Amino acid sequence: MVNNSITFIGLDTHKEFFEVAYIEDNRDAKPVSLGRINGTKQALQKLVRQFESKHPGSTLHFVYEAGPCGYWIYRFLTSLGHCCYVVAPSLIPKKAGERVKTDKRDAVKLALLLRSGDMAPIYVPEPEDEAMRDLSRARETAMKDLKDAKYQLKAMLLRNNIRCEVQDNWSTKHLRWLTELILPHPSQQIVLQEAIQTITERIRRLERLDNELSYHVKNWRYYPVVKAIQAMRGVRLLVAVGVIAELGDLSRFDHPRKLMSYLGLVPSEHSSGGKRRQGGITRTGNTRARRLLVEGAHTYRYAANVSTELQKRQESLSKEIVDIAWQAELRLCRRYQRLMKRGKHYNLVVTAIAREMIAYIWAISREVVLTPVNPAKRLARVPA
């Protein structure tokens, strides 16, 4: 007799091992813990074969929490033809009185919640999209490291009461002036030279990553979207690549308000009865994408105008995209001035502008036609 039921399998993933539990799609079924397996593809494939042999005809649905293990588990299981879901740990329901947490309980809990449908899976990017996201994040990390090195050197000069004689900081002339400094103690001179060398190396590292990002983004499948959203003010190449790399396919949101909520740019609310109380933004979702939008929103404090650089970015784009970008600039510039005249705090105004920016980015992305990913090719890209 062929069984057409569903088997829900929860995986509590760790670096070295996975805790496994499952439950049948029956009303009276109870969860079963299978213990631990090695955190390798061979062990995972063996587990799949065991379920296929013990539950013939049953559809296997796997679930695990998003974490440092990444998405290779999802890609491997889907390449075998099974359903897999990745859920956000922050969105897993928890009981108020629950005080005991173990790997076994977590795996059982995942299987039970998947069967009841109380968990919403997250969006899993394609491997090449995740690679572009890694490159964009690496460039941002390089910039942060460079700034930290500059701050450390400036702090050292301030402690020794050394004032810079060059106006243009970190230019070639400024770096040459730093190399000519002579400190009173040899140990301090060593620290100074190491700091200068660190800054020079990190500047070169940032230049290398900038060049690689500019090259690889042109071969990316989302490059038409990246190029199109640069028609907006405050969205240059780095912001455009960062936002799209973090968010992925914007077409999965059928309304811009859902995208705003996904980014945590909507106000929190605690209303009951006849009272309605709203607080700060929820700050859920992708932190980096939200921060990039806030950075771009600062440019709308000036009057609406198409600069020469913005005009160059719009030259090869369609009239529909340019019109949306101009409509966004007119609205957001007016809204910025209106909120400031009402006495709103500067940070609140910028956040409100960023919230509407993502709506126009969503509208522009809908004007771009992308080539869909072939599922067969996607499964074939899973590494051995």
Side-chain angles (χ1 to χ4, degrees), residues 232-236 239 292 295-297 299-300 310 313 357:
M232 293 185 58
R233 175 193 278 191
V235 185
R236 297 185 182 181
V239 175
L292 290 172
E295 288 181 1
T299 60
Y300 289 93
L310 184 59
R313 300 204 303 262
M357 275 182 65

Side-chain angles (χ1 to χ4, degrees), residues 161-190:
N161 194 25
I162 300 176
R163 301 184 182 276
C164 182
E165 300 175 356
V166 181
Q167 296 296 329
D168 189 6
N169 283 341
W170 311 116
S171 61
T172 304
K173 186 177 180 181
H174 183 224
L175 292 175
R176 190 178 297 114
W177 174 81
L178 288 173
T179 58
E180 296 173 354
L181 285 178
I182 304 298
L183 298 182
H185 301 284
S187 57
Q188 287 182 326
Q189 191 70 29
I190 294 175

Side-chain angles (χ1 to χ4, degrees), residues 192-226:
L192 175 62
Q193 295 301 327
E194 288 291 338
I196 296 173
Q197 185 175 355
T198 300
I199 292 174
T200 305
E201 291 175 353
R202 293 183 180 181
I203 288 175
R204 293 173 181 172
R205 173 192 174 195
L206 183 63
E207 291 175 353
R208 291 194 301 268
L209 288 173
D210 281 334
N211 293 334
E212 293 298 328
L213 186 64
S214 301
Y215 171 77
H216 287 284
V217 71
K218 295 179 181 178
N219 301 322
W220 190 27
R221 67 188 185 102
Y222 282 122
Y223 179 65
V225 180
V226 171

Side-chain angles (χ1 to χ4, degrees), residues 50-281:
Q50 291 176 354
F51 275 106
E52 289 176 345
S53 61
K54 292 182 179 180
H55 307 273
S58 178
T59 306
L60 304 182
H61 286 211
F62 294 85
V63 62
Y64 70 97
E65 296 182 22
C69 293
Y71 302 119
W72 73 265
I73 303 172
Y74 169 88
R75 292 172 183 143
F76 181 72
L77 292 173
T78 53
S79 68
L80 297 178
H82 299 288
C83 298
C84 185
Y85 307 92
V86 186
V87 296
S90 60
L91 300 180
I92 296 177
K94 297 180 181 179
K95 297 180 181 179
E98 192 174 3
R99 293 292 184 268
V100 179
K101 181 185 182 302
T102 62
D103 296 338
K104 178 179 178 181
R105 285 173 177 251
D106 290 343
V108 170
K109 183 178 181 180
L110 287 173
L112 288 171
L113 290 174
L114 181 62
R115 188 183 69 165
S116 62
D118 292 332
M119 293 187 302
I122 65 173
Y123 170 76
V124 178
E126 294 294 326
E128 58 268 30
D129 301 339
E130 188 177 11
M132 183 57 63
R133 186 185 67 181
D134 291 340
L135 181 58
S136 178
R137 290 181 177 180
R139 193 268 173 198
E140 182 175 331
T141 302
M143 174 60 74
K144 181 180 180 299
D145 293 341
L146 176 60
K147 288 183 178 180
D148 292 341
K150 290 179 178 179
Y151 292 153
Q152 292 173 6
L153 179 55
K154 281 191 172 184
M156 179 184 178
L157 298 179
L158 182 61
R159 291 195 305 269
N160 292 273
N161 194 25
I162 300 176
R163 301 184 182 276
C164 182
E165 300 175 356
V166 181
Q167 296 296 329
D168 189 6
N169 283 341
W170 311 116
S171 61
T172 304
K173 186 177 180 181
H174 183 224
L175 292 175
R176 190 178 297 114
W177 174 81
L178 288 173
T179 58
E180 296 173 354
L181 285 178
I182 304 298
L183 298 182
H185 301 284
S187 57
Q188 287 182 326
Q189 191 70 29
I190 294 175
V191 175
L192 175 62
Q193 295 301 327
E194 288 291 338
I196 296 173
Q197 185 175 355
T198 300
I199 292 174
T200 305
E201 291 175 353
R202 293 183 180 181
I203 288 175
R204 293 173 181 172
R205 173 192 174 195
L206 183 63
E207 291 175 353
R208 291 194 301 268
L209 288 173
D210 281 334
N211 293 334
E212 293 298 328
L213 186 64
S214 301
Y215 171 77
H216 287 284
V217 71
K218 295 179 181 178
N219 301 322
W220 190 27
R221 67 188 185 102
Y222 282 122
Y223 179 65
V225 180
V226 171
K227 188 176 181 181
I229 65 176
Q230 290 184 68
M232 293 185 58
R233 175 193 278 191
V235 185
R236 297 185 182 181
L237 178 64
L238 295 178
V239 175
V241 173
V243 170
I244 300 302
E246 296 294 337
L247 299 180
D249 186 11
L250 299 184
S251 63
R252 69 183 193 272
F253 300 97
D254 56 2
H255 197 277
R257 286 196 181 94
K258 294 183 179 180
L259 182 54
M260 297 174 187
S261 177
Y262 177 80
L263 286 171
L265 287 170
V266 296
S268 58
E269 185 173 352
H270 184 76
S271 301
S272 179
K275 295 183 179 180
R276 186 188 183 195
R277 298 177 182 177
Q278 287 186 321
I281 58 174

